[in-house]
Amino acid sequence: MESSLYVAVAAQRNMQKQLTVIANNIANMNTTGFRTENVDFKSIVSQQPNEDVYFPTAAKLYPSLEQGALEPTGNPLDVALTGSGWFSIATPQGPAYTRDGRFQISGLGELQTLQGFPVLDAGGSPIQLDPRSGPPDITADGRVLLNSRLVANIGVFEVSQDQLESRFTNSAFFASSPGIPLALDGNNALKQGFIENSNVNPIKELANLIAITKGFESATSMIERADQSVSRAVSELGSR
């Protein structure tokens, strides 16, 4: 079989993965704290007798670290991150990292995500508040105050792009190694009463969708031509 057929089939398989990623990005364009994912491609060289054939393969997915737009909500339990960094939450599978700062206080006073996962401080411990003291004041550097009294610090962690692995829910990730506590300053800070929207650029994603669709059609055409070439070769050899 011609090497071009193998290449075209490999290209289609990887473009199908791209289409799945783009569809997921578009579906989450309104998901708070969502990070766009992209497909990182590499080539594996297959040594052939007379030529080198390059097969495209999907290496991994990686999330965009671009800041999403901040939206004011007026809710004192909504907290947005500016700059780099991630909140850490406790899950049954271990700590996960998210930019979704929509929090709530449980009946027992634990600071949690809307899904009920504990929000962690810089030491990796759940944050406990007095539910009878009303909503807290959360400062730009992560301090949590109740009636002007410091009761906790919200942890913000540095996690590099290549450490972010599988998703947990739509807006959180597990990491290959623990995040490093990040000191908040003018560039990295918290904003109480705000949420960070998804960083999906719908126009860019639609453009990518069109480009991948055209590429898929070209690969299909290549497969058809290679198949016709093989059929002609078989027919000619059979007639001899």
Side-chain angles (χ1 to χ4, degrees):
M1 186 180 290
E2 291 188 356
S3 59
S4 60
L5 183 54
Y6 286 113
V7 173
V9 171
Q12 277 194 328
R13 183 174 60 248
N14 291 306
M15 282 187 283
Q16 182 63 51
K17 184 171 185 178
Q18 281 186 301
L19 289 172
T20 301
V21 171
I22 292 171
N24 187 59
N25 289 340
I26 294 174
N28 285 281
M29 59 185 295
N30 294 318
T31 299
T32 302
F34 182 82
R35 282 291 178 267
T36 301
E37 277 189 310
N38 301 290
V39 182
D40 180 27
F41 283 91
K42 64 181 180 181
S43 292
I44 293 180
V45 180
S46 174
Q47 297 295 331
Q48 301 295 327
N50 299 318
E51 59 181 344
D52 290 337
V53 181
Y54 293 86
F55 293 92
T57 63
K60 65 172 293 186
L61 298 178
Y62 64 95
S64 166
L65 301 183
E66 183 179 351
Q67 174 89 45
L70 301 190
E71 178 184 340
T73 65
N75 184 343
L77 292 178
D78 286 341
V79 184
L81 270 167
T82 61
S84 62
W86 302 79
F87 298 116
S88 182
I89 59 176
T91 79
Q93 294 80 38
Y97 300 92
T98 183
R99 299 279 295 195
D100 185 355
R102 296 174 298 167
F103 300 146
Q104 62 180 354
I105 299 176
S106 72
L108 297 177
E110 189 174 63
L111 189 65
Q112 301 177 339
T113 66
L114 293 186
Q115 295 79 26
F117 299 106
V119 179
L120 305 179
D121 62 18
S125 299
I127 295 173
Q128 194 70 32
L129 307 175
D130 184 351
R132 300 168 299 178
S133 297
D137 292 318
I138 300 174
T139 65
D141 60 2
R143 289 175 295 158
V144 182
L145 308 174
L146 286 175
N147 299 321
S148 301
R149 182 172 60 91
L150 177 65
V151 294
N153 286 276
I154 295 178
V156 177
F157 297 83
E158 188 71 42
V159 183
S160 64
Q161 189 179 52
D162 59 356
Q163 289 177 312
L164 296 171
E165 296 188 327
S166 59
R167 281 192 184 273
F168 176 76
T169 70
N170 282 341
S171 57
F173 293 88
F174 291 116
S176 57
S177 58
I180 300 173
L182 180 65
L184 298 177
D185 52 27
N187 296 322
N188 305 295
L190 303 186
K191 293 195 70 173
Q192 186 176 22
F194 286 78
I195 59 172
E196 181 183 1
N197 290 322
S198 166
N199 69 353
V200 173
N201 182 333
I203 296 177
K204 179 180 178 181
E205 294 300 320
L206 288 173
N208 289 339
L209 182 62
I210 293 171
I212 295 301
T213 300
K214 290 182 177 179
F216 197 91
E217 292 172 351
S218 296
T220 300
S221 178
M222 181 182 295
I223 291 173
E224 291 174 350
R225 290 196 300 271
D227 184 58
Q228 291 170 0
S229 177
V230 171
S231 296
R232 284 196 300 270
V234 170
S235 176
E236 290 176 0
L237 289 172
S239 64
R240 294 179 180 177

